[in-house]
């Protein structure tokens, strides 16, 4: 809307200034002209910031121009920061996701869409859908329309392997993607961006690649079907697939430096690897990047489940797609997984106390939850019984919304905690008893994943499916 407003203002101001310069006989005071010129220049700068392009008189942005992140509101010193590298909010309840939908220009996953997914998939929707953990989408209705007409699609998700240690939050997109793969019976590609981690972090190429392979084991342990899943490291696949690289180059040709600067905030001192990387994350959205799976077909729709902070990459991808003759990928966005210390603090792989790691022992899980999980309870038992706790800021309760399957039980916990009937210690105990078996089972499945299994998943090969 703001872009349109700026365009209208620009057209008006241009007309006013030009008619003045041409001395057409309308009388406008000089002061007003000066003010108009000043405003004109400012609007042109705003326009360029928002669209990544210079304003050309009488040339509003095409419908296809990249929907910008409209950025912090003019009044909002306390606006949330959300981009692929930073997530920050001052609100104990976490990021304001409704505002984010407006800012990113995506659509809310409402009850109607959840019901529709249930109908088309013929399964109870995953708890992440029932509880708004996947809360936003792009073009999901279109994917379902096509699926109902027997036109299938494929899934694409990924991970940036910055260390060996993965925490439970990292599993969210994979748990959900596995569910989608099972209910829709479709192929999946998983990109490990070891190249990105090398470019952004102070790590060696060897370490980044090693982390990719280690992380692949945790991903495989989520239960993906080897006959329907291809996992790849960018460092390996880029060099082995001419088709993939051709798509990278096509994307690179159709995105300007101004555009990526506008979307990702790159500066002149960022290395050129970073500037061209978004094309590499975009390429798996196009089916002909994987000829071993899809042959030369370039028309197979892609659906990307990911955390909302990855959306800038795919806004760019969706802008480029029609210009290089490919369908736009659809998206499902998840909320962020909060740190143990609270939804406004950052989870960090280097701080073992900030989350539950997939390598934690049952004892470590118990200690971490008891000592570090931010509580929405009152200071004393008496006060808590009298006034009740606040589940909206309580991290143990938030974690249970991610991992406790039973809706009724979860609702009862919420009410009991809010009323004061349930104490913080009791709530934490429920979380501990939910996490301990979940992590232990994950560790057992991971132990079954041999180097041979990893190699199978990571070898380019045909997959089993019918489209
Ligand atoms: C989709 O496929 C099923 C089973 O093969 C068939 O019964 C149905 O008519 C097809 N629907 C459309 C819209 O083609
Ligand atoms: C994968 O396909 C092979 C060969 O068709 C089959 O033997 C194997 O059981 C399949 N694995 C799974 C997990 O379905
Ligand atoms: C984590 O918490 C424990 C106490 O629970 C403490 O001993 C340890 O130093 C903490 N680690 C870090 C990295 O803060």
């Amino acid at each position: 809307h703001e872009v349109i407003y700026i365009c209208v203002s620009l057209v008006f101001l241009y007309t006013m200034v030009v008619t003045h310069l041409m001395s057409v006989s309308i009388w406008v005071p000089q002061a007003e002209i000066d003010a108009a010129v000043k405003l004109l220049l400012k609007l042109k700068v705003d326009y360029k910031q928002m669209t990544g392009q210079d304003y050309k008189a009488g040339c509003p942005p095409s419908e296809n121009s990249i929907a910008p992140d409209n950025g912090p509101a003019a009044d909002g010193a306390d606006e949330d920061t959300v981009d692929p590298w930073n997530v920050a909010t001052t609100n104990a309840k976490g990021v304001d996701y409704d505002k984010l939908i407006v800012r990113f220009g995506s659509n809310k996953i409402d009850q109607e869409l959840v019901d529709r997914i249930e109908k088309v998939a013929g399964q109870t929707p995953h708890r992440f859908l029932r509880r708004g953990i996947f809360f936003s989408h792009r073009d999901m209705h279109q994917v379902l329309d096509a699926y109902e007409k027997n036109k299938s699609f494929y899934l694409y998700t990924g991970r940036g392997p910055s260390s060996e240690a993965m925490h439970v939050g990292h599993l969210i997109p994979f748990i959900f993607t596995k569910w989608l793969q099972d209910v829709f019976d479709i192929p999946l590609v998983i990109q490990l961006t070891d190249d990105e981690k090398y470019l952004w972090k102070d790590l060696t190429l060897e370490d980044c690649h090693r982390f990719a392979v280690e992380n692949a084991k945790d991903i495989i342990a989520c239960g993906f079907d080897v006959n329907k899943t291809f996992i790849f490291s960018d460092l390996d696949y880029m060099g082995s697939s001419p088709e993939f690289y051709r798509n990278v180059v096509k994307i690179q040709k159709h995105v300007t430096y101004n555009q990526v600067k506008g979307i990702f905030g790159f500066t002149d001192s960022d290395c050129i690897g970073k500037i061209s990387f978004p094309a590499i994350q975009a390429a798996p959205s196009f089916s002909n990047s994987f000829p071993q799976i899809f042959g030369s077909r370039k028309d197979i729709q892609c659906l990307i489940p990911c955390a909302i902070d990855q959306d800038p990459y795919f806004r760019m991808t969706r802008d480029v797609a029609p210009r290089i003759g490919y369908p736009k990928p659809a998206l499902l966005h998840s909320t962020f997984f909060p740190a143990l210390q609270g939804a406004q603090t950052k989870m960090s792989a280097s701080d073992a106390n900030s989350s539950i790691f997939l390598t934690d022992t049952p004892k470590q899980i118990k200690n971490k939850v008891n000592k570090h999980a931010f509580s929405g309870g009152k200071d004393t038992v008496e006060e808590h019984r009298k006034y009740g706790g606040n589940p909206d800021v309580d991290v143990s309760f938030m974690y249970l919304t991610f991992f406790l399957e039973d809706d009724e039980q979860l609702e009862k916990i919420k009410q009991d905690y809010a009323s004061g009937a349930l104490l913080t210690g009791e709530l934490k105990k429920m979380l501990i008893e939910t996490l301990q078996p979940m992590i232990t089972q994950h560790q057992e499945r991971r132990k079954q994943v041999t180097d041979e299994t990893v190699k199978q998943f990571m070898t380019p090969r045909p997959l089993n499916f019918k489209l």
Side-chain angles (χ1 to χ4, degrees):
H1 296 297
E2 253 174 284
V3 173
I4 290 168
Y5 167 78
I6 288 178
C7 283
V8 171
S9 309
L10 278 166
V11 169
F12 174 75
L13 288 165
Y14 259 110
T15 312
M16 180 164 155
V17 172
V18 169
T19 44
H20 172 79
L21 291 177
M22 291 166 67
S23 299
V24 181
S25 60
I26 53 164
W27 183 84
V28 183
Q30 187 62 38
E32 220 166 284
I33 292 292
D34 290 346
V37 170
K38 235 171 113 182
L39 182 58
L40 185 63
L41 294 176
K42 182 182 169 303
L43 285 173
K44 282 179 80 172
V45 172
D46 288 351
Y47 180 90
K48 189 162 175 180
Q49 267 178 1
M50 296 176 84
T51 63
Q53 290 161 6
D54 284 315
Y55 178 82
K56 291 189 204 83
C59 175
S62 69
E63 219 184 312
N64 270 336
S65 82
I66 301 176
D69 167 358
N70 295 331
D75 61 347
D78 58 5
E79 193 78 10
D80 303 326
T81 304
V82 176
D83 67 42
W85 306 280
N86 299 290
V87 176
T89 177
T90 51
N91 188 337
K93 291 182 191 173
V95 170
D96 185 332
Y97 291 106
D98 285 334
K99 269 195 199 164
L100 210 55
I101 286 175
V102 174
R103 233 172 83 189
F104 282 11
S106 60
N107 300 294
K108 195 179 169 81
I109 297 183
D110 52 16
Q111 192 56 44
E112 187 201 336
L113 179 55
V114 175
D115 291 344
R116 187 157 181 226
I117 292 172
E118 172 164 20
K119 186 168 151 270
V120 176
Q123 304 260 345
T124 308
H126 194 273
R127 61 178 184 275
F128 292 169
L129 281 173
R130 303 199 302 269
R131 297 180 193 158
I133 288 167
F134 274 79
F135 71 102
S136 152
H137 77 101
R138 293 182 190 278
D139 288 349
M140 190 59 198
H141 280 292
Q142 190 185 307
V143 170
L144 295 172
D145 288 344
Y147 190 79
E148 283 180 326
K149 293 190 184 116
N150 290 348
K151 257 186 89 184
S152 200
F153 58 100
Y154 74 101
L155 296 163
Y156 158 37
T157 190
R159 154 145 185 88
S162 54
S163 77
E164 268 173 72
M166 281 175 71
H167 55 64
V168 283
H170 291 140
L171 291 186
I172 304 304
F174 296 109
I175 292 171
F176 188 61
T177 302
K178 157 141 176 65
W179 181 80
L180 290 170
Q181 179 179 60
D182 288 349
V183 302
F184 290 105
D185 189 24
I186 42 177
L188 160 67
V189 296
I190 299 176
Q191 180 182 49
L192 302 171
T193 56
D194 40 11
D195 52 348
E196 178 224 3
K197 290 303 160 198
Y198 173 70
L199 292 166
W200 261 267
K201 305 241 166 188
D202 188 16
L203 294 168
T204 65
L205 266 178
E206 291 69 28
D207 278 343
C208 292
H209 186 260
R210 188 165 54 80
F211 295 154
V213 174
E214 285 305 310
N215 288 180
K217 292 181 185 168
D218 281 302
I219 293 168
I220 292 167
C222 291
F224 293 107
D225 181 343
V226 67
N227 292 333
K228 298 196 171 79
T229 307
F230 173 47
I231 304 178
F232 62 100
S233 128
D234 283 343
L235 291 176
D236 291 336
Y237 192 58
M238 273 282 276
S240 75
S241 171
E243 292 80 2
F244 188 85
Y245 186 59
R246 276 165 172 73
N247 275 340
V248 169
V249 173
K250 277 191 193 174
I251 298 157
Q252 285 173 342
K253 180 164 174 165
H254 290 84
V255 182
T256 67
Y257 178 46
N258 264 333
Q259 284 171 328
V260 287
K261 254 200 317 198
I263 302 168
F264 300 98
F266 295 140
T267 68
D268 288 355
S269 54
D270 278 308
C271 69
I272 59 174
K274 287 187 185 179
I275 291 150
S276 57
F277 173 75
I280 300 172
Q281 184 155 333
S285 313
F286 307 129
S287 57
N288 63 353
S289 292
F290 305 98
Q292 71 278 13
I293 305 173
F294 304 111
S296 59
R297 283 190 62 176
K298 57 177 192 175
D299 61 337
I300 301 167
Q301 167 92 59
C302 175
L303 172 65
I304 306 170
C306 63
I308 185 85
D309 61 334
Q310 297 301 302
D311 188 66
Y313 284 113
F314 302 116
R315 283 205 293 273
M316 184 198 87
T317 310
R318 286 167 55 86
D319 175 66
V320 171
R323 289 189 280 131
I324 55 179
Y326 298 147
K328 291 181 182 187
L331 284 114
L332 292 169
H333 299 120
S334 74
T335 62
F336 303 113
F337 191 76
L340 274 175
Q341 283 75 9
Q344 75 277 52
T345 58
K346 265 188 87 157
M347 208 153 34
S348 145
S350 56
D351 178 3
N353 291 334
S354 72
S355 190
I356 305 296
F357 283 78
L358 300 178
T359 46
D360 284 348
T361 62
K363 191 160 166 246
Q364 281 172 317
I365 294 172
K366 185 174 169 200
N367 286 339
K368 279 190 192 180
V369 171
N370 282 332
K371 288 197 182 120
H372 302 292
F374 182 80
S375 167
K378 296 289 183 292
D379 290 341
T380 66
V381 172
E382 291 70 39
E383 276 184 54
H384 189 88
R385 291 275 188 229
K386 192 163 166 199
Y387 301 110
N390 182 358
D392 291 341
V393 300
D394 189 285
V395 171
S396 301
F397 182 75
M398 290 182 199
Y399 279 26
L400 282 173
T401 59
F402 280 87
F403 298 119
L404 189 72
E405 179 59 29
D406 189 327
D407 291 341
E408 280 176 29
Q409 197 187 350
L410 187 72
E411 186 52 35
K412 181 159 167 31
I413 291 170
K414 185 173 186 175
Q415 289 182 0
D416 288 351
Y417 195 62
S419 76
L422 188 71
L423 297 174
T424 296
E426 294 165 334
L427 176 63
K428 287 192 170 188
K429 187 157 172 283
M430 287 174 176
L431 175 62
I432 292 163
E433 285 169 359
T434 305
L435 287 175
Q436 280 174 337
M438 188 184 113
I439 300 292
T440 306
Q441 282 159 21
H442 178 88
Q443 289 166 356
E444 278 162 11
R445 285 193 306 267
R446 191 186 196 276
K447 249 187 265 162
Q448 309 291 315
V449 179
T450 60
D451 290 344
E452 187 51 38
T453 315
V454 175
K455 205 173 140 203
Q456 258 183 303
F457 272 94
M458 297 187 72
T459 301
R461 66 206 188 284
L463 299 180
N464 270 355
F465 63 92
K466 47 179 193 311
L467 283 175

